[in-house]
Amino acid sequence: SFPVQLTSYEVKGKYLFPVTGDVQMAFLPLSYIHHRASASQEFAMDLVGANQKGAASFTDISSPNPRTLSDYSIWGRDVLAIGDGVVREIGDKFPETRMNDPAKFAQPEYVQSLLKELVTQIGWTNAVAGNYVLIDHENGEFSMYCHLQEGSLRVKPGDKVKKGMPIARVGNTGNSGAPHLHFQLMDSPNFFTANGLPVMFENVPAQVMIEEFPVQGNALSFSDSIFSTVP
């Protein structure tokens, strides 16, 4: 055995949740089998649609037997800047037309093959993260928004953004098995080498995360799947 030093971290910024409406927050930090395999994604989350019209259950993320991206309730939803900052980097070269057939993108082997094809054309980050926006909040914290809809980015590097400002739309690009927003906060702008940071949001009630755990929390980490309606 060997000791592991733990560091308590309280987020510096006053942030808003990156989408509004009915949402399912999946693969949160309590899950050890997904995001936590990468240091920069340790406190990442995947946001998918909840209460999909026509679905058999509110846990379903699409209408029955989806055939197009619009059958997923989260697809096309506005993605918001969580706080004031400056756009440090974007990626907008991933062709969503290659990821618009549910029968294909639901197969991991198809997605992995596509990534291998595109990585030499558009680079590792744009291939894996899909179309993305990286914001520097100028306090040592960087937010990253991944798998964005092709052609939806409203910002470019150097642009100043305000808290709650729409910056893109949720899409299905990159290493994705269905339309969703992958969101993470980091301590540097490098998607592959940064450390992930825990984050709470002003407009997500704390009891959504901690009602089963009578402790103060500084991350959305107390369940692997949380449902909420964000104003």
Side-chain angles (χ1 to χ4, degrees):
S1 64
F2 58 92
V4 176
Q5 183 177 357
L6 300 179
T7 302
S8 178
Y9 186 87
E10 293 288 341
V11 70
K12 297 176 183 176
K14 301 286 188 181
Y15 298 132
L16 293 177
F17 202 67
V19 299
T20 60
D22 294 326
V23 65
Q24 176 186 353
M25 299 166 246
F27 294 120
L28 296 165
L30 189 64
S31 173
Y32 291 95
I33 62 173
H34 195 63
H35 292 135
R36 297 194 76 175
S38 174
S40 72
Q41 300 180 45
E42 184 174 4
F43 296 97
M45 66 188 77
D46 287 342
L47 310 179
V48 297
N51 293 332
Q52 169 70 46
K53 291 183 178 179
S57 167
F58 76 96
T59 61
D60 290 347
I61 66 172
S62 75
S63 58
N65 303 312
R67 295 185 178 182
T68 67
L69 293 175
S70 59
D71 287 333
Y72 295 79
S73 65
I74 197 75
W75 186 77
R77 197 178 301 186
D78 279 342
V79 176
L80 312 177
I82 63 167
D84 294 351
V86 178
V87 177
R88 172 68 72 91
E89 187 178 310
I90 68 168
D92 61 356
K93 305 299 183 184
F94 197 107
E96 195 168 36
T97 53
R98 304 289 297 278
M99 291 283 286
N100 63 5
D101 183 355
K104 290 183 177 180
F105 64 66
Q107 302 174 14
E109 59 272 19
Y110 171 81
V111 176
Q112 294 306 312
S113 176
L114 179 59
L115 295 183
K116 289 180 181 179
E117 173 191 337
L118 292 176
V119 70
T120 58
Q121 303 173 29
I122 63 177
W124 278 99
T125 307
N126 203 172
V128 175
N131 298 323
Y132 69 93
V133 172
L134 174 68
I135 296 176
D136 180 354
H137 297 286
E138 302 184 300
N139 59 2
E141 297 175 344
F142 301 79
S143 58
M144 190 160 180
Y145 316 75
C146 304
H147 310 311
L148 303 175
Q149 188 181 110
E150 182 183 11
S152 74
L153 275 64
R154 307 181 190 182
V155 294
K156 62 184 184 301
D159 285 353
K160 293 184 178 181
V161 297
K162 290 294 185 181
K163 182 177 182 178
M165 171 182 167
I167 56 174
R169 291 193 294 270
V170 176
N172 190 46
T173 58
N175 187 20
S176 174
H180 72 285
L181 174 68
H182 172 102
F183 171 83
Q184 64 188 58
L185 194 71
M186 308 179 292
D187 66 355
S188 88
N190 192 305
F191 179 64
F192 296 101
T193 63
N195 291 305
L197 299 175
V199 57
M200 296 288 272
F201 304 94
E202 292 182 302
N203 58 333
V204 177
Q207 62 265 29
V208 171
M209 284 72 70
I210 64 175
E211 59 184 356
E212 297 180 11
F213 298 83
V215 297
Q216 180 180 358
N218 66 345
L220 300 171
S221 61
F222 298 106
S223 173
D224 183 41
S225 187
I226 297 173
F227 298 88
S228 186
T229 298
V230 182

